[in-house]
Amino acid sequence: MKVPFLDLYSQHKPLETEFEEAFRTIIKSSSFAGGPVVADFEEDFARYCGAAHCVGMGSGTDALWLALLACGVGPGDEVITVSATFAATVEAIVQCGATPRFVDIREEDATMDPSQLESQLTDRTRAIIPVHLYGQPADMDPILAFARKHGLLVIEDAAQAHGAEYKGRKAGTLGDIGCFSFYPGKNLGAFGDAGATVTNDPAFAAKMRALRDHGQTAKYDHEFFGWNARMDGIQAAVLKIKLRSLNEANSLRRAHAAAYDEELAGLETLELPRQTPDTRHVYHIYAVRVFQRDDIQRHLAASGIDTGIHYPVPVHLQRAYSNLGYSRGSLPATESLSDETLSLPLFPGMTSDQIGAVVDEVRNATSATV
Ligand SMILES: *Cc1c(COP(=O)(O)O)cnc(C)c1O
């Protein structure tokens, strides 16, 4: 049996006529870039998250970048983040002219280790970007306490964590600004690139609204140096429809993850993802850890099971970031995650046969490579 890593069509098929109707509305209104449908989705997503404001963006990368700019981060400043993330988190910092400083992750959940923040603090530190990796929120309370103590802003990278919770509150609403990506494969995905920020601060929201539209606070009144980072009307229409089933899709992901947890428990060579007590994990990615990762991945591929690696080389060891002064050994927990992590297929429309096939082949692969 072939199992794809991700099957978006199984999720979109039942909504096809609804999408078509929404497209016709967009064609008739001609609001393609920004416009009323974007404003409508922003309202829905803010309400969903429990935030006062949502600002639609062209991508998750735009969201991170403009959030930092809205916080006043610029040349000479430092931002503390993790290297166990997609490169976009770090790109946004560099794009502002600021310098990224990395802390290592915790072994138990692969998110920012708050106890290491102190070691990276300097008098230039302005902000912290924790990443809710794989759909599980970072341990926000100690991060927020540290930030408050030192007058730093906290921007959450919630690109993988739509609907995830920390102590009953939604990811993205815990810090000063939360950043989301709606890249097609994310838990809430558009039909192309899109992103958004959420915040409870009206001043940050107003600034990000201006920045995404060439810094304009009124037509042809450029109060700030901005950029074009608007969300498309068509993407907002798709997202508005899909947002209604986000909770259900996340529950399905959690159920499939629970099935994996149960069926794969006790395999000696496999470490399963752990859900930390204060969080509701939304399993954007179901990442296991294995020592002979490449052999196991090859074995699974030969049996028709698609897998992924998130991420094979941490950001601090990427060539583009070699000037930051890190090397192998700088962030041991991050590096061992990169060496051992393996992402199994997980998407809302997975069938129990597909889950069964993955489980069988993972069992075969791990026993064959012991
Ligand atoms: C996807 C992702 C981004 C970037 O989002 P885009 O919409 O692709 O620009 C940023 N951070 C993390 C952790 C991501 O997974």
Side-chain angles (χ1 to χ4, degrees), residues 84-321:
T85 182
F86 182 62
T89 318
V90 186
E91 275 164 21
I93 299 168
V94 176
Q95 196 75 299
C96 294
T99 303
R101 303 273 300 219
F102 297 118
V103 291
D104 214 345
I105 51 170
R106 309 192 297 182
E107 287 283 351
E108 69 260 37
D109 63 358
T111 66
M112 175 177 273
D113 183 349
S115 71
Q116 297 193 15
L117 288 168
E118 191 87 50
S119 73
Q120 294 306 309
L121 183 74
T122 72
D123 52 11
R124 297 169 158 201
T125 312
R126 291 293 302 276
I128 306 175
I129 309 184
V131 178
H132 305 319
L133 196 71
Y134 304 149
Q136 172 151 262
D139 193 5
M140 292 300 290
D141 277 355
I143 296 171
L144 292 166
F146 181 87
R148 241 173 266 127
K149 183 172 165 203
H150 298 284
L152 311 174
L153 292 162
V154 176
I155 297 172
E156 299 170 67
D157 185 338
Q160 304 187 355
H162 319 68
E165 290 175 12
Y166 178 79
K167 299 188 176 173
R169 289 169 64 198
K170 288 273 193 301
T173 65
L174 304 151
D176 296 284
I177 301 176
C179 300
F180 290 89
S181 163
F182 304 120
Y183 180 78
K186 300 289 162 87
N187 285 31
L188 179 61
F191 285 2
D193 282 305
T197 55
V198 296
T199 182
N200 286 322
D201 183 317
F204 285 149
K207 181 107 191 244
M208 290 187 289
R209 258 177 227 295
L211 290 173
R212 73 167 171 187
D213 192 21
H214 306 285
Q216 295 178 106
T217 39
K219 195 162 171 131
Y220 303 129
D221 180 4
H222 301 268
E223 185 176 340
F224 309 106
F225 175 72
W227 202 251
N228 174 1
R230 294 178 298 243
M231 181 186 275
D232 289 340
I234 291 224
Q235 305 307 346
V238 167
L239 291 167
K240 188 177 162 67
I241 292 167
K242 288 183 70 178
L243 178 57
R244 295 204 297 265
S245 43
L246 176 59
N247 281 342
E248 191 195 332
N250 280 343
S251 297
L252 287 167
R253 285 176 185 275
R254 286 173 53 82
H256 301 333
Y260 276 149
D261 285 348
E262 196 179 316
E263 298 290 325
L264 296 174
L267 291 181
E268 261 174 42
T269 52
L270 196 73
E271 207 180 297
L272 300 177
R274 266 178 283 174
Q275 189 167 211
T276 45
D278 294 325
T279 63
R280 183 179 161 88
H281 194 325
V282 291
Y283 294 97
H284 171 58
I285 284 169
Y286 187 90
V288 300
R289 294 180 68 148
V290 276
F291 286 114
Q292 281 145 314
R293 193 256 318 275
D294 298 342
D295 291 343
I296 289 176
Q297 190 178 36
R298 223 173 294 119
H299 194 291
L300 289 171
S303 326
I305 311 294
D306 273 356
T307 55
I309 297 174
H310 300 89
Y311 296 93
V313 179
V315 180
H316 73 283
L317 300 180
Q318 295 282 353
R319 278 173 299 163
Y321 300 95

Side-chain angles (χ1 to χ4, degrees), residues 338-354:
S338 279
D339 292 340
E340 297 167 12
T341 191
L342 180 68
S343 311
L344 302 183
L346 187 79
F347 50 91
M350 258 186 122
T351 64
S352 44
D353 284 352
Q354 287 176 316

